[in-house]
Structure formats: structure tokens, C-alpha cells
Amino acid sequence: MSHKILRLPSVKARIELSRSTIYLLISKGEFPSPISLGERAVGWLEEDIDNWLAEKVEASRIAK
């Protein structure tokens, strides 16, 4: 199984949120946590970000 890792600039571009907002949502348990890639590097699984976006789309459609 192949996993694609997204670094923060790619995540920010994909979801259109700032770094501080992303980390705020992580601290509230409302956004996928990053995985450690090394001593000073983290990334997110593309699948986790895609699932989060799909949940947001679904929730916005139900709310209407």
C-alpha cells in the first residue's frame, strides 16, 4: 500500500487555512494530527486530508 505524505505548504494550499488555524484545529481534535517524518519534520497523509475535506463538504450540505 502506498501513502502520499503532504507537507504543511501543500496542506495549507489544499484546505485554504493558515498554519495557526490548522494547529488550533489539531489541538481541538478537529483536524488530523500530523505524523513525524524525522526530528524536525512532520507531514499529513493525503488520505486523512481528503477525508477531512469530504466530511466538511458533507456537513455543510446537511446544514443547508
Side-chain angles (χ1 to χ4, degrees), residues 13-56:
R14 186 171 259 192
I15 66 171
E16 303 276 335
L17 293 176
S18 69
R19 176 193 185 281
S20 58
T21 300
I22 291 169
Y23 279 98
L24 176 64
L25 292 173
I26 291 169
S27 72
K28 294 164 107 181
E30 298 175 7
F31 191 77
S33 294
I35 59 170
S36 177
L37 301 174
E39 206 171 299
R40 295 182 52 185
V42 298
W44 286 259
L45 291 175
E46 182 177 43
E47 180 180 358
D48 290 348
I49 302 304
D50 289 343
N51 290 339
W52 182 84
L53 283 169
E55 289 171 9
K56 289 296 178 187

Side-chain angles (χ1 to χ4, degrees), residues 4-19:
K4 182 168 182 186
I5 301 293
L6 301 175
R7 297 296 305 271
L8 184 59
S10 297
V11 173
K12 286 172 43 179
R14 186 171 259 192
I15 66 171
E16 303 276 335
L17 293 176
S18 69
R19 176 193 185 281

